[in-house]
Amino acid sequence: VSYYQRVAKHIVTATQAGPSVRIMTDYVRLNDEHEKGRSRAVEEADTLEFYMYAADNGDVDAQVALGLLYLQGGLGLARDPE
């Protein structure tokens, strides 16, 4: 919990600095499902679904991440540079 409090304080401070500051975030789904026998393929499918949802709702970072996944392949997506 202390880690998340430090991160939250950092983000609040950075966003109060003004609109010119852009916070880059990584999308990480925190869960304990992997420890319960959940396969990596299912986790990757969930991550891809999250990126698609976020991208469809205007999240630029998710759109970039999807573009890179299509360019390079990953998370179950075949490489498709077009």
Side-chain angles (χ1 to χ4, degrees):
V1 172
S2 64
Y3 171 77
Y4 297 107
Q5 289 173 335
R6 287 192 316 255
V7 171
K9 286 179 184 179
H10 172 74
I11 290 174
V12 168
T13 302
T15 56
Q16 289 174 342
S20 63
V21 175
R22 181 152 186 231
I23 305 290
M24 295 298 293
T25 56
D26 290 325
Y27 295 99
V28 178
R29 186 172 175 183
L30 302 175
N31 65 37
D32 61 353
E33 296 297 319
H34 184 69
E35 295 174 9
K36 295 179 183 176
R38 194 171 148 124
S39 75
R40 182 170 177 88
V42 171
E43 288 183 3
E44 287 181 353
D46 283 351
T47 302
L48 181 59
E49 182 180 351
F50 174 78
Y51 279 135
M52 289 181 168
Y53 173 81
D56 287 344
N57 286 285
D59 187 312
V60 175
D61 292 329
Q63 293 169 354
V64 169
L66 277 176
L68 290 172
L69 285 170
Y70 281 112
L71 177 66
Q72 301 169 350
L75 294 181
L77 288 177
R79 186 174 180 273
D80 184 6
E82 307 223 4

